[in-house]
Amino acid sequence: DPATDNYYFSPSMREIFSLPDEKLQGNMSDFIAEYIHPADHQGIKDAFTESASQHKVTLEIRLELGNKKFWVQLQGDRFMDGDKNSVQGTVQDITERKEKERHKDEFISTVSHELKTPVTSLRAFCQVLQRKFDKEGNQLAAEMLGKMNMQINRLNLVIHDLLDVTRIE
């Protein structure tokens, strides 16, 4: 109930996340302070404030229950029944998905960084050879190395795009 800052969880939520019985209901601000990762506090407040106009809540947060850490996705609808105001929804454990996303991002970042060094070396060698063949008057070799340099630049752009996507996510 956003108006009173009280929450009520189903018994199955208690079972899934091993919550103590006394945590099936209470003050939402206290629950957030005790169990939600500090970096996610503002996101929760913003989502519930936004739900007043959109009547929907969707967010991903981190729960810290003792030594267990979970990523959960909250999806709910805001209901108005006279003066009663409530948000009802589901909580889904998405820890495994988040872990896979993290591994994917790390892989892309590692591969991108590992590709940058040889591509930079290739470009340097290509440019040196192109200048050498230009000075010697070997136009065919110089043109081919020019085309090769263009392709190396395209490859470098793809690597930078991969790094940018990883940073954005």
Side-chain angles (χ1 to χ4, degrees):
D1 183 346
T4 64
D5 197 36
N6 289 325
Y7 70 88
Y8 309 93
F9 291 144
S10 70
S12 58
M13 171 109 167
R14 181 190 58 74
E15 288 176 34
I16 292 168
F17 295 107
S18 304
L19 289 169
D21 286 336
E22 65 271 9
K23 293 299 177 181
L24 287 178
Q25 65 183 22
N27 180 278
M28 192 58 159
S29 296
D30 292 342
F31 184 85
I32 289 170
E34 188 172 351
Y35 292 112
I36 307 297
H37 189 283
D40 296 334
H41 289 188
Q42 189 60 45
I44 291 172
K45 292 173 187 170
D46 293 346
F48 280 97
T49 300
E50 206 174 279
S51 75
S53 62
Q54 296 182 358
H55 303 287
K56 295 236 181 265
V57 177
T58 302
L59 71 151
E60 294 177 354
I61 59 170
R62 290 162 282 188
L63 285 176
E64 297 179 351
L65 307 170
N67 60 356
K68 293 182 187 177
K69 295 182 188 218
F70 302 94
W71 270 97
V72 295
Q73 182 179 48
L74 306 172
Q75 291 184 312
D77 294 312
R78 190 167 189 150
F79 295 97
M80 307 286 271
D81 184 16
D83 62 346
K84 186 165 166 103
N85 181 0
S86 67
V87 176
Q88 297 176 7
T90 59
V91 177
Q92 180 180 10
D93 184 347
I94 58 168
T95 306
E96 188 176 328
R97 185 188 86 200
K98 285 297 207 177
E99 190 63 21
K100 286 178 182 177
E101 286 174 7
R102 188 182 65 76
H103 285 299
K104 176 198 70 152
D105 293 343
E106 284 177 5
F107 175 77
I108 289 172
S109 181
T110 301
V111 167
S112 298
H113 283 292
E114 291 298 321
L115 285 173
K116 284 175 80 174
T117 302
V119 167
T120 301
S121 296
L122 276 172
R123 184 184 326 154
F125 291 136
C126 185
Q127 290 171 347
V128 168
L129 283 173
Q130 186 179 11
R131 285 188 205 115
K132 180 181 185 282
F133 286 126
D134 263 341
K135 285 181 183 176
E136 292 176 358
N138 188 342
Q139 286 306 108
L140 179 62
E143 283 178 30
M144 292 177 81
L145 284 166
K147 290 179 181 180
M148 185 175 166
N149 195 36
M150 285 179 16
Q151 295 303 316
I152 291 170
N153 286 336
R154 286 181 63 202
L155 180 58
N156 204 33
L157 288 173
V158 169
I159 292 168
H160 283 286
D161 286 348
L162 280 172
L163 286 171
D164 285 345
V165 166
T166 303
R167 281 187 206 116
I168 288 168
E169 288 179 353

